[in-house]
Structure formats: structure tokens, C-alpha cells
Amino acid sequence: MSRGGNGSAGQAVADGAPAVPEQSCDLVTVPARQGLEAVDILRLRDGVGPVLHDGPCDTLGFVVPAGTAAGWDVPGSACTQTSGRGLALGALCGEGSPVEPPVTGTGWLVPPEGAGAAATDPAVLRAALGEAARTIEAVDRCQ
């Protein structure tokens, strides 16, 4: 099956194989310092989906399943619905050439082709962000 840049999701690609169906996702945005700690925690334990880095804003964006934004309430973070705005899991599952970040001015910290999952589980991300915040607080107290 061909994916990514060879065709639009939900349509056949040039070689006749169906493309990956569109599966919308949401984006959890956190300050870069907390996000980097959370990425380390997730990589060591449960795996992490694609993560965007927005250098000018000093934030990380974790790709999470669609619907996460409706119940997201973690202080210091935001979860944005992306359905209909060009960010879809199907588009992130490219084979071959690297997938370009869907948001202008960002880059991949964890690219889709190097991620352990199509999206990060929201409950697992919530726990990792909490642990990251406690770690940062402890480090700051020691300085």
C-alpha cells in the first residue's frame, strides 16, 4: 500500500493501491521544556506518536486522536481540534520520503516515520506531562 505524498487520502494512488483513509487528529501543545521531558518519559515507557516543534513559540505539539480536545484540561497546555484544517493521521503515515510538517514554521521533533505510534494516547500523555512537570519543579528547587 502506498501512503503519503503519492495520493490524497481516501483516493486511489497512481499504482492502483488505495491511499490511507483520512483519520483526523488533535494537537496537544505544551511549553518545550515540559514537552521534552514528556517525550523522554514516553520514549522510555509507552511510546510516543509524532511530535512537532515550534521553535519561535518554544512549544511542542503532540499528535493525539481526534476528540481529545473535548475533554482536555491539563493546566499549562492546550489541545486543538484539527479536523478540516489539514492535519490528519492518514497524511502523517507516509512511506518513503519524510513527511513535511503540517504547520508552517514547525519541524518534527519525532517524525511520523520514526514514531512508535500514529498518535500518542491522551491518558498516557497526561501522565507523562504530570511527571515532567514534577521533575522540572524538583530540578528548579535544587538550583
Side-chain angles (χ1 to χ4, degrees):
M1 177 188 303
S2 294
R3 299 178 185 179
N6 296 336
S8 298
Q11 299 175 347
V13 292
D15 64 6
V20 176
E22 285 284 327
Q23 182 183 359
S24 297
C25 57
D26 292 347
L27 192 69
V28 171
T29 307
V30 298
R33 185 175 181 203
Q34 183 180 13
L36 290 169
E37 288 288 337
V39 166
D40 286 344
I41 292 164
L42 292 167
R43 281 185 169 162
L44 291 171
R45 296 189 186 145
D46 302 306
V48 63
V51 179
L52 288 165
H53 177 240
D54 184 341
C57 292
D58 201 27
T59 60
L60 294 186
F62 291 82
V63 174
V64 294
T68 300
W72 191 259
D73 61 354
V74 176
S77 69
C79 188
T80 307
Q81 293 178 325
T82 63
S83 57
R85 289 190 255 165
L87 182 60
L89 293 179
L92 297 179
C93 296
E95 291 177 356
S97 62
V99 178
E100 289 296 318
V103 181
T104 303
T106 65
W108 291 113
L109 177 68
V110 179
E113 58 272 13
T120 302
D121 179 283
V124 173
L125 177 59
R126 180 184 302 272
L129 289 172
E131 185 174 339
R134 290 186 298 277
T135 300
I136 291 168
E137 184 179 327
V139 168
D140 288 349
R141 276 195 313 257
C142 293
Q143 292 180 356

